[in-house]
Amino acid sequence: MAVTPDTDLAARAAAVIPGGVNSGQRRVPGLEDLVVTATSGATFTDAEGRTYTDYHAAFGPPLLGHNDPDVDAAVAATARSVGLMGVGVTPVEIELAERLCELVPSVERVLLTETGSEATFHAIRVARAATGRRYVIKFQGCYHGWHDAVAMNVISLPENVGRHDPLSKGVLPEVTEATIVCRFNDADDVERALTDHDVAAIILEPIPHNIGAVLPAEGFLERLRELATKHGTVLIFDEVITGFRHALGGYQSIAGVTPDLTTLGKAMGNGWPISALGGSAELMDMFSTTPGRPAFFAGTFNGHPPTAAAALATIEKLQREPVHEHVFRLGERTRAGLAALYARLGVTAVVSGYGSVFLTYFLDGPVRSYDDLLANDVDLFVGYRRELMKERIFELPLNLKRSHFSYAHTDADVDRLLEATEVAVTRFLETRP
């Protein structure tokens, strides 16, 4: 049988996949022909045979590195012994649920899903079921998935800040209007919204990593906890990014603030598609997984045994090896090195991040909310990252997108990153119109 040669994979993709990619932000202007043919550890290789050190890391899942052998072996072993039944439960689901309840402070009960969007969707649904209320508060700059209640006000144009800014057409106006958008790190703004509306839930990334790394101001998360309790509102931490990447107990275990519900994903399965929603027994027991309860919950692939095994193996490796120590050290070294680099070059910059996450905003600080990021030099942010690709280093060339270290990265990678960043920034500035 003849095999079609892979001479133009990007063109083949464009012919059968709308836009040539299966997720909106995978089609990056200027990189329309990018086809990834292999991943390994801290690198990926494209269809032209070029290998890059990868700091994009699929928006963050492979904390251990691409194709981690321990995780992949657990997936393969489970797939050989138990597949998808669609009835009952499997031992690996039980063990994973037990581990999540042990590790994450807010989690007394947990349900498994496939994607972070599903987890946040169900969190909002059960909050409305529990409170009987209509409104939800989210924050400008936070992203919680593709569903209508929260698909708005992430990286907004200046003229759209302060009003509803949906990410998509096709959303019913009454759904959009039921979401209140507040300013991150502004507890007074939240208090006004809670006073003026019957709010079912407050949902937030405890660190808004979808706009890089805007750290919560001292006392902000604690104040949200107090306000939610006072007003009978469900507090939801979307830890799809921060969970496991920053700590086994999520960022809530670092901050010392316990939400009512927590969503988890991405680094939880080291790249395998699994997410989770957990929280208080009172709320979680409202789902229809308990017969007769009012909040419907279903999903053919929920708790899929091989992907549950991936999460369990990831957690076990995070517990037995110094993963967080390693990636935090590389992150801190990089942030310090970048700050020194930009000071030496005389480039106005704020180097931000937390743990394994890093990026540079090209603006005067401080950065407390999305409003401050409107001053970012987008051309420089995107332009130097395009130059980095010539040095075989990949940081996603889209405005405000964060970069990540994995357990597979090394100190030599940091050395090379700092050297290449100086080359890339200098070259961009020299050729800038």
Side-chain angles (χ1 to χ4, degrees), residues 370-400:
Y370 180 78
D371 304 61
D372 300 315
L373 300 181
L374 294 173
N376 188 45
D377 186 336
V378 178
D379 289 341
L380 177 53
F381 189 98
V382 173
Y384 97 87
R385 290 185 173 199
R386 291 191 183 281
E387 293 295 329
L388 268 182
M389 292 182 66
K390 298 174 184 176
E391 307 301 315
R392 299 294 184 262
I393 290 175
F394 191 81
E395 295 186 52
L396 187 65
L398 282 178
N399 188 35
L400 304 183

PDB file of all heavy atoms in Angstrom, residues 370-400:
ATOM      1  N   TYR A 370      -4.665  43.741  35.284  1.00  0.00           N
ATOM      2  CA  TYR A 370      -4.575  43.782  33.826  1.00  0.00           C
ATOM      3  C   TYR A 370      -4.410  45.196  33.294  1.00  0.00           C
ATOM      4  O   TYR A 370      -3.712  45.409  32.290  1.00  0.00           O
ATOM      5  CB  TYR A 370      -5.826  43.143  33.215  1.00  0.00           C
ATOM      6  CG  TYR A 370      -5.788  43.147  31.703  1.00  0.00           C
ATOM      7  CD1 TYR A 370      -5.026  42.213  31.009  1.00  0.00           C
ATOM      8  CD2 TYR A 370      -6.497  44.103  30.968  1.00  0.00           C
ATOM      9  CE1 TYR A 370      -4.956  42.236  29.629  1.00  0.00           C
ATOM     10  CE2 TYR A 370      -6.442  44.124  29.579  1.00  0.00           C
ATOM     11  CZ  TYR A 370      -5.664  43.189  28.913  1.00  0.00           C
ATOM     12  OH  TYR A 370      -5.589  43.210  27.555  1.00  0.00           O
ATOM     13  N   ASP A 371      -5.005  46.166  33.952  1.00  0.00           N
ATOM     14  CA  ASP A 371      -4.900  47.558  33.507  1.00  0.00           C
ATOM     15  C   ASP A 371      -3.443  47.966  33.325  1.00  0.00           C
ATOM     16  O   ASP A 371      -3.096  48.674  32.368  1.00  0.00           O
ATOM     17  CB  ASP A 371      -5.558  48.498  34.526  1.00  0.00           C
ATOM     18  CG  ASP A 371      -7.005  48.149  34.810  1.00  0.00           C
ATOM     19  OD1 ASP A 371      -7.247  47.018  35.289  1.00  0.00           O
ATOM     20  OD2 ASP A 371      -7.880  48.986  34.561  1.00  0.00           O
ATOM     21  N   ASP A 372      -2.575  47.519  34.231  1.00  0.00           N
ATOM     22  CA  ASP A 372      -1.166  47.879  34.149  1.00  0.00           C
ATOM     23  C   ASP A 372      -0.504  47.272  32.912  1.00  0.00           C
ATOM     24  O   ASP A 372       0.443  47.847  32.354  1.00  0.00           O
ATOM     25  CB  ASP A 372      -0.427  47.414  35.408  1.00  0.00           C
ATOM     26  CG  ASP A 372      -0.982  48.042  36.676  1.00  0.00           C
ATOM     27  OD1 ASP A 372      -1.216  49.268  36.676  1.00  0.00           O
ATOM     28  OD2 ASP A 372      -1.207  47.309  37.655  1.00  0.00           O
ATOM     29  N   LEU A 373      -1.007  46.134  32.468  1.00  0.00           N
ATOM     30  CA  LEU A 373      -0.395  45.425  31.346  1.00  0.00           C
ATOM     31  C   LEU A 373      -0.736  46.048  30.001  1.00  0.00           C
ATOM     32  O   LEU A 373      -0.144  45.686  28.982  1.00  0.00           O
ATOM     33  CB  LEU A 373      -0.807  43.958  31.352  1.00  0.00           C
ATOM     34  CG  LEU A 373      -0.406  43.165  32.600  1.00  0.00           C
ATOM     35  CD1 LEU A 373      -0.853  41.715  32.478  1.00  0.00           C
ATOM     36  CD2 LEU A 373       1.093  43.246  32.840  1.00  0.00           C
ATOM     37  N   LEU A 374      -1.665  46.976  29.976  1.00  0.00           N
ATOM     38  CA  LEU A 374      -1.988  47.664  28.727  1.00  0.00           C
ATOM     39  C   LEU A 374      -0.797  48.475  28.224  1.00  0.00           C
ATOM     40  O   LEU A 374      -0.735  48.820  27.044  1.00  0.00           O
ATOM     41  CB  LEU A 374      -3.204  48.568  28.923  1.00  0.00           C
ATOM     42  CG  LEU A 374      -4.523  47.847  29.226  1.00  0.00           C
ATOM     43  CD1 LEU A 374      -5.601  48.862  29.579  1.00  0.00           C
ATOM     44  CD2 LEU A 374      -4.963  46.979  28.062  1.00  0.00           C
ATOM     45  N   ALA A 375       0.145  48.754  29.111  1.00  0.00           N
ATOM     46  CA  ALA A 375       1.335  49.514  28.727  1.00  0.00           C
ATOM     47  C   ALA A 375       2.443  48.628  28.168  1.00  0.00           C
ATOM     48  O   ALA A 375       3.494  49.133  27.741  1.00  0.00           O
ATOM     49  CB  ALA A 375       1.865  50.293  29.931  1.00  0.00           C
ATOM     50  N   ASN A 376       2.251  47.309  28.158  1.00  0.00           N
ATOM     51  CA  ASN A 376       3.300  46.417  27.676  1.00  0.00           C
ATOM     52  C   ASN A 376       3.670  46.719  26.221  1.00  0.00           C
ATOM     53  O   ASN A 376       2.793  46.955  25.383  1.00  0.00           O
ATOM     54  CB  ASN A 376       2.839  44.969  27.790  1.00  0.00           C
ATOM     55  CG  ASN A 376       3.951  43.974  27.494  1.00  0.00           C
ATOM     56  OD1 ASN A 376       5.073  44.126  27.976  1.00  0.00           O
ATOM     57  ND2 ASN A 376       3.646  42.959  26.712  1.00  0.00           N
ATOM     58  N   ASP A 377       4.968  46.701  25.928  1.00  0.00           N
ATOM     59  CA  ASP A 377       5.459  46.898  24.563  1.00  0.00           C
ATOM     60  C   ASP A 377       5.251  45.589  23.804  1.00  0.00           C
ATOM     61  O   ASP A 377       6.111  44.698  23.827  1.00  0.00           O
ATOM     62  CB  ASP A 377       6.935  47.295  24.594  1.00  0.00           C
ATOM     63  CG  ASP A 377       7.488  47.658  23.215  1.00  0.00           C
ATOM     64  OD1 ASP A 377       6.932  47.189  22.204  1.00  0.00           O
ATOM     65  OD2 ASP A 377       8.494  48.387  23.172  1.00  0.00           O
ATOM     66  N   VAL A 378       4.111  45.474  23.138  1.00  0.00           N
ATOM     67  CA  VAL A 378       3.732  44.218  22.491  1.00  0.00           C
ATOM     68  C   VAL A 378       4.699  43.854  21.370  1.00  0.00           C
ATOM     69  O   VAL A 378       5.080  42.687  21.207  1.00  0.00           O
ATOM     70  CB  VAL A 378       2.282  44.292  21.957  1.00  0.00           C
ATOM     71  CG1 VAL A 378       1.906  42.997  21.251  1.00  0.00           C
ATOM     72  CG2 VAL A 378       1.312  44.595  23.094  1.00  0.00           C
ATOM     73  N   ASP A 379       5.121  44.851  20.604  1.00  0.00           N
ATOM     74  CA  ASP A 379       6.038  44.575  19.493  1.00  0.00           C
ATOM     75  C   ASP A 379       7.339  43.959  19.991  1.00  0.00           C
ATOM     76  O   ASP A 379       7.859  43.010  19.392  1.00  0.00           O
ATOM     77  CB  ASP A 379       6.335  45.860  18.724  1.00  0.00           C
ATOM     78  CG  ASP A 379       5.145  46.348  17.920  1.00  0.00           C
ATOM     79  OD1 ASP A 379       4.229  45.532  17.666  1.00  0.00           O
ATOM     80  OD2 ASP A 379       5.121  47.531  17.549  1.00  0.00           O
ATOM     81  N   LEU A 380       7.873  44.492  21.078  1.00  0.00           N
ATOM     82  CA  LEU A 380       9.109  43.940  21.633  1.00  0.00           C
ATOM     83  C   LEU A 380       8.864  42.562  22.237  1.00  0.00           C
ATOM     84  O   LEU A 380       9.670  41.640  22.056  1.00  0.00           O
ATOM     85  CB  LEU A 380       9.684  44.898  22.686  1.00  0.00           C
ATOM     86  CG  LEU A 380      10.948  44.445  23.429  1.00  0.00           C
ATOM     87  CD1 LEU A 380      12.053  44.043  22.458  1.00  0.00           C
ATOM     88  CD2 LEU A 380      11.420  45.555  24.377  1.00  0.00           C
ATOM     89  N   PHE A 381       7.749  42.416  22.942  1.00  0.00           N
ATOM     90  CA  PHE A 381       7.417  41.134  23.589  1.00  0.00           C
ATOM     91  C   PHE A 381       7.345  40.012  22.559  1.00  0.00           C
ATOM     92  O   PHE A 381       7.938  38.943  22.721  1.00  0.00           O
ATOM     93  CB  PHE A 381       6.081  41.265  24.326  1.00  0.00           C
ATOM     94  CG  PHE A 381       5.730  40.092  25.202  1.00  0.00           C
ATOM     95  CD1 PHE A 381       5.983  40.127  26.568  1.00  0.00           C
ATOM     96  CD2 PHE A 381       5.140  38.957  24.684  1.00  0.00           C
ATOM     97  CE1 PHE A 381       5.656  39.054  27.386  1.00  0.00           C
ATOM     98  CE2 PHE A 381       4.805  37.873  25.482  1.00  0.00           C
ATOM     99  CZ  PHE A 381       5.069  37.930  26.840  1.00  0.00           C
ATOM    100  N   VAL A 382       6.611  40.255  21.491  1.00  0.00           N
ATOM    101  CA  VAL A 382       6.447  39.244  20.444  1.00  0.00           C
ATOM    102  C   VAL A 382       7.697  39.148  19.574  1.00  0.00           C
ATOM    103  O   VAL A 382       8.142  38.057  19.213  1.00  0.00           O
ATOM    104  CB  VAL A 382       5.205  39.554  19.591  1.00  0.00           C
ATOM    105  CG1 VAL A 382       5.108  38.604  18.397  1.00  0.00           C
ATOM    106  CG2 VAL A 382       3.940  39.467  20.440  1.00  0.00           C
ATOM    107  N   GLY A 383       8.291  40.308  19.270  1.00  0.00           N
ATOM    108  CA  GLY A 383       9.409  40.338  18.341  1.00  0.00           C
ATOM    109  C   GLY A 383      10.639  39.607  18.830  1.00  0.00           C
ATOM    110  O   GLY A 383      11.281  38.864  18.063  1.00  0.00           O
ATOM    111  N   TYR A 384      11.016  39.795  20.104  1.00  0.00           N
ATOM    112  CA  TYR A 384      12.227  39.127  20.562  1.00  0.00           C
ATOM    113  C   TYR A 384      12.010  37.617  20.647  1.00  0.00           C
ATOM    114  O   TYR A 384      12.938  36.832  20.442  1.00  0.00           O
ATOM    115  CB  TYR A 384      12.707  39.712  21.900  1.00  0.00           C
ATOM    116  CG  TYR A 384      12.278  38.954  23.128  1.00  0.00           C
ATOM    117  CD1 TYR A 384      13.032  37.886  23.612  1.00  0.00           C
ATOM    118  CD2 TYR A 384      11.118  39.305  23.816  1.00  0.00           C
ATOM    119  CE1 TYR A 384      12.638  37.195  24.755  1.00  0.00           C
ATOM    120  CE2 TYR A 384      10.724  38.629  24.946  1.00  0.00           C
ATOM    121  CZ  TYR A 384      11.480  37.561  25.415  1.00  0.00           C
ATOM    122  OH  TYR A 384      11.088  36.878  26.524  1.00  0.00           O
ATOM    123  N   ARG A 385      10.751  37.206  20.902  1.00  0.00           N
ATOM    124  CA  ARG A 385      10.484  35.765  20.945  1.00  0.00           C
ATOM    125  C   ARG A 385      10.585  35.141  19.550  1.00  0.00           C
ATOM    126  O   ARG A 385      10.979  33.975  19.424  1.00  0.00           O
ATOM    127  CB  ARG A 385       9.113  35.500  21.574  1.00  0.00           C
ATOM    128  CG  ARG A 385       9.083  35.805  23.079  1.00  0.00           C
ATOM    129  CD  ARG A 385       7.776  35.432  23.722  1.00  0.00           C
ATOM    130  NE  ARG A 385       7.835  35.583  25.176  1.00  0.00           N
ATOM    131  CZ  ARG A 385       6.989  35.006  26.017  1.00  0.00           C
ATOM    132  NH1 ARG A 385       6.003  34.258  25.541  1.00  0.00           N
ATOM    133  NH2 ARG A 385       7.105  35.183  27.311  1.00  0.00           N
ATOM    134  N   ARG A 386      10.241  35.889  18.541  1.00  0.00           N
ATOM    135  CA  ARG A 386      10.454  35.397  17.178  1.00  0.00           C
ATOM    136  C   ARG A 386      11.955  35.274  16.882  1.00  0.00           C
ATOM    137  O   ARG A 386      12.396  34.324  16.233  1.00  0.00           O
ATOM    138  CB  ARG A 386       9.787  36.331  16.168  1.00  0.00           C
ATOM    139  CG  ARG A 386       8.266  36.299  16.234  1.00  0.00           C
ATOM    140  CD  ARG A 386       7.656  37.022  15.046  1.00  0.00           C
ATOM    141  NE  ARG A 386       6.220  37.045  15.153  1.00  0.00           N
ATOM    142  CZ  ARG A 386       5.412  36.031  14.858  1.00  0.00           C
ATOM    143  NH1 ARG A 386       5.940  34.893  14.433  1.00  0.00           N
ATOM    144  NH2 ARG A 386       4.101  36.135  14.979  1.00  0.00           N
ATOM    145  N   GLU A 387      12.714  36.239  17.377  1.00  0.00           N
ATOM    146  CA  GLU A 387      14.164  36.154  17.216  1.00  0.00           C
ATOM    147  C   GLU A 387      14.740  34.968  17.987  1.00  0.00           C
ATOM    148  O   GLU A 387      15.710  34.333  17.542  1.00  0.00           O
ATOM    149  CB  GLU A 387      14.820  37.461  17.677  1.00  0.00           C
ATOM    150  CG  GLU A 387      14.498  38.664  16.819  1.00  0.00           C
ATOM    151  CD  GLU A 387      15.048  38.553  15.410  1.00  0.00           C
ATOM    152  OE1 GLU A 387      16.114  37.917  15.227  1.00  0.00           O
ATOM    153  OE2 GLU A 387      14.403  39.085  14.481  1.00  0.00           O
ATOM    154  N   LEU A 388      14.164  34.670  19.135  1.00  0.00           N
ATOM    155  CA  LEU A 388      14.626  33.516  19.921  1.00  0.00           C
ATOM    156  C   LEU A 388      14.527  32.224  19.126  1.00  0.00           C
ATOM    157  O   LEU A 388      15.357  31.315  19.288  1.00  0.00           O
ATOM    158  CB  LEU A 388      13.798  33.379  21.204  1.00  0.00           C
ATOM    159  CG  LEU A 388      14.285  34.055  22.482  1.00  0.00           C
ATOM    160  CD1 LEU A 388      13.322  33.740  23.622  1.00  0.00           C
ATOM    161  CD2 LEU A 388      15.698  33.629  22.849  1.00  0.00           C
ATOM    162  N   MET A 389      13.511  32.124  18.280  1.00  0.00           N
ATOM    163  CA  MET A 389      13.350  30.907  17.493  1.00  0.00           C
ATOM    164  C   MET A 389      14.550  30.668  16.576  1.00  0.00           C
ATOM    165  O   MET A 389      14.915  29.524  16.293  1.00  0.00           O
ATOM    166  CB  MET A 389      12.058  30.959  16.691  1.00  0.00           C
ATOM    167  CG  MET A 389      10.800  30.911  17.547  1.00  0.00           C
ATOM    168  SD  MET A 389       9.303  30.929  16.547  1.00  0.00           S
ATOM    169  CE  MET A 389       9.435  29.349  15.707  1.00  0.00           C
ATOM    170  N   LYS A 390      15.190  31.742  16.126  1.00  0.00           N
ATOM    171  CA  LYS A 390      16.389  31.591  15.306  1.00  0.00           C
ATOM    172  C   LYS A 390      17.535  30.988  16.106  1.00  0.00           C
ATOM    173  O   LYS A 390      18.477  30.431  15.531  1.00  0.00           O
ATOM    174  CB  LYS A 390      16.801  32.948  14.742  1.00  0.00           C
ATOM    175  CG  LYS A 390      15.747  33.582  13.835  1.00  0.00           C
ATOM    176  CD  LYS A 390      16.150  34.990  13.413  1.00  0.00           C
ATOM    177  CE  LYS A 390      15.044  35.649  12.591  1.00  0.00           C
ATOM    178  NZ  LYS A 390      15.372  37.059  12.236  1.00  0.00           N
ATOM    179  N   GLU A 391      17.441  31.100  17.433  1.00  0.00           N
ATOM    180  CA  GLU A 391      18.441  30.510  18.323  1.00  0.00           C
ATOM    181  C   GLU A 391      18.004  29.134  18.819  1.00  0.00           C
ATOM    182  O   GLU A 391      18.609  28.569  19.721  1.00  0.00           O
ATOM    183  CB  GLU A 391      18.672  31.439  19.528  1.00  0.00           C
ATOM    184  CG  GLU A 391      19.015  32.875  19.169  1.00  0.00           C
ATOM    185  CD  GLU A 391      20.270  32.980  18.337  1.00  0.00           C
ATOM    186  OE1 GLU A 391      21.258  32.300  18.681  1.00  0.00           O
ATOM    187  OE2 GLU A 391      20.256  33.730  17.330  1.00  0.00           O
ATOM    188  N   ARG A 392      16.922  28.620  18.245  1.00  0.00           N
ATOM    189  CA  ARG A 392      16.360  27.307  18.575  1.00  0.00           C
ATOM    190  C   ARG A 392      15.844  27.253  20.014  1.00  0.00           C
ATOM    191  O   ARG A 392      15.971  26.252  20.715  1.00  0.00           O
ATOM    192  CB  ARG A 392      17.375  26.183  18.331  1.00  0.00           C
ATOM    193  CG  ARG A 392      17.815  26.092  16.871  1.00  0.00           C
ATOM    194  CD  ARG A 392      16.662  25.668  15.963  1.00  0.00           C
ATOM    195  NE  ARG A 392      17.095  25.497  14.583  1.00  0.00           N
ATOM    196  CZ  ARG A 392      16.960  26.411  13.626  1.00  0.00           C
ATOM    197  NH1 ARG A 392      16.394  27.576  13.914  1.00  0.00           N
ATOM    198  NH2 ARG A 392      17.373  26.167  12.401  1.00  0.00           N
ATOM    199  N   ILE A 393      15.265  28.356  20.431  1.00  0.00           N
ATOM    200  CA  ILE A 393      14.595  28.432  21.730  1.00  0.00           C
ATOM    201  C   ILE A 393      13.179  28.916  21.479  1.00  0.00           C
ATOM    202  O   ILE A 393      12.966  29.891  20.755  1.00  0.00           O
ATOM    203  CB  ILE A 393      15.339  29.380  22.687  1.00  0.00           C
ATOM    204  CG1 ILE A 393      16.664  28.734  23.106  1.00  0.00           C
ATOM    205  CG2 ILE A 393      14.489  29.716  23.907  1.00  0.00           C
ATOM    206  CD1 ILE A 393      17.543  29.619  23.941  1.00  0.00           C
ATOM    207  N   PHE A 394      12.205  28.228  22.094  1.00  0.00           N
ATOM    208  CA  PHE A 394      10.804  28.545  21.815  1.00  0.00           C
ATOM    209  C   PHE A 394      10.090  29.035  23.058  1.00  0.00           C
ATOM    210  O   PHE A 394       9.876  28.297  24.024  1.00  0.00           O
ATOM    211  CB  PHE A 394      10.069  27.325  21.262  1.00  0.00           C
ATOM    212  CG  PHE A 394       8.701  27.660  20.714  1.00  0.00           C
ATOM    213  CD1 PHE A 394       8.559  28.200  19.443  1.00  0.00           C
ATOM    214  CD2 PHE A 394       7.556  27.451  21.467  1.00  0.00           C
ATOM    215  CE1 PHE A 394       7.302  28.529  18.930  1.00  0.00           C
ATOM    216  CE2 PHE A 394       6.298  27.761  20.971  1.00  0.00           C
ATOM    217  CZ  PHE A 394       6.173  28.304  19.700  1.00  0.00           C
ATOM    218  N   GLU A 395       9.736  30.333  23.026  1.00  0.00           N
ATOM    219  CA  GLU A 395       8.768  30.914  23.947  1.00  0.00           C
ATOM    220  C   GLU A 395       7.637  31.431  23.066  1.00  0.00           C
ATOM    221  O   GLU A 395       7.882  32.110  22.075  1.00  0.00           O
ATOM    222  CB  GLU A 395       9.377  32.048  24.768  1.00  0.00           C
ATOM    223  CG  GLU A 395      10.476  31.604  25.713  1.00  0.00           C
ATOM    224  CD  GLU A 395      10.936  32.738  26.614  1.00  0.00           C
ATOM    225  OE1 GLU A 395      10.071  33.375  27.261  1.00  0.00           O
ATOM    226  OE2 GLU A 395      12.148  32.998  26.668  1.00  0.00           O
ATOM    227  N   LEU A 396       6.412  31.121  23.406  1.00  0.00           N
ATOM    228  CA  LEU A 396       5.294  31.415  22.521  1.00  0.00           C
ATOM    229  C   LEU A 396       5.246  32.896  22.164  1.00  0.00           C
ATOM    230  O   LEU A 396       5.133  33.751  23.051  1.00  0.00           O
ATOM    231  CB  LEU A 396       3.977  31.004  23.187  1.00  0.00           C
ATOM    232  CG  LEU A 396       2.728  31.098  22.288  1.00  0.00           C
ATOM    233  CD1 LEU A 396       2.813  30.098  21.132  1.00  0.00           C
ATOM    234  CD2 LEU A 396       1.465  30.848  23.106  1.00  0.00           C
ATOM    235  N   PRO A 397       5.318  33.244  20.867  1.00  0.00           N
ATOM    236  CA  PRO A 397       5.292  34.652  20.468  1.00  0.00           C
ATOM    237  C   PRO A 397       3.883  35.225  20.393  1.00  0.00           C
ATOM    238  O   PRO A 397       3.404  35.635  19.338  1.00  0.00           O
ATOM    239  CB  PRO A 397       5.989  34.632  19.098  1.00  0.00           C
ATOM    240  CG  PRO A 397       5.691  33.280  18.547  1.00  0.00           C
ATOM    241  CD  PRO A 397       5.621  32.355  19.725  1.00  0.00           C
ATOM    242  N   LEU A 398       3.216  35.241  21.523  1.00  0.00           N
ATOM    243  CA  LEU A 398       1.913  35.880  21.679  1.00  0.00           C
ATOM    244  C   LEU A 398       1.962  36.766  22.916  1.00  0.00           C
ATOM    245  O   LEU A 398       2.551  36.380  23.941  1.00  0.00           O
ATOM    246  CB  LEU A 398       0.795  34.841  21.834  1.00  0.00           C
ATOM    247  CG  LEU A 398       0.298  34.129  20.581  1.00  0.00           C
ATOM    248  CD1 LEU A 398      -0.761  33.106  20.950  1.00  0.00           C
ATOM    249  CD2 LEU A 398      -0.255  35.114  19.550  1.00  0.00           C
ATOM    250  N   ASN A 399       1.315  37.896  22.867  1.00  0.00           N
ATOM    251  CA  ASN A 399       1.388  38.876  23.942  1.00  0.00           C
ATOM    252  C   ASN A 399       0.971  38.295  25.293  1.00  0.00           C
ATOM    253  O   ASN A 399      -0.066  37.625  25.404  1.00  0.00           O
ATOM    254  CB  ASN A 399       0.501  40.086  23.608  1.00  0.00           C
ATOM    255  CG  ASN A 399       0.683  41.224  24.581  1.00  0.00           C
ATOM    256  OD1 ASN A 399       1.780  41.463  25.084  1.00  0.00           O
ATOM    257  ND2 ASN A 399      -0.380  41.965  24.844  1.00  0.00           N
ATOM    258  N   LEU A 400       1.785  38.542  26.290  1.00  0.00           N
ATOM    259  CA  LEU A 400       1.535  38.243  27.702  1.00  0.00           C
ATOM    260  C   LEU A 400       1.604  36.754  28.057  1.00  0.00           C
ATOM    261  O   LEU A 400       1.298  36.389  29.199  1.00  0.00           O
ATOM    262  CB  LEU A 400       0.177  38.807  28.167  1.00  0.00           C
ATOM    263  CG  LEU A 400      -0.043  40.306  27.966  1.00  0.00           C
ATOM    264  CD1 LEU A 400      -1.388  40.734  28.539  1.00  0.00           C
ATOM    265  CD2 LEU A 400       1.077  41.129  28.618  1.00  0.00           C
TER     266      LEU A 400
END
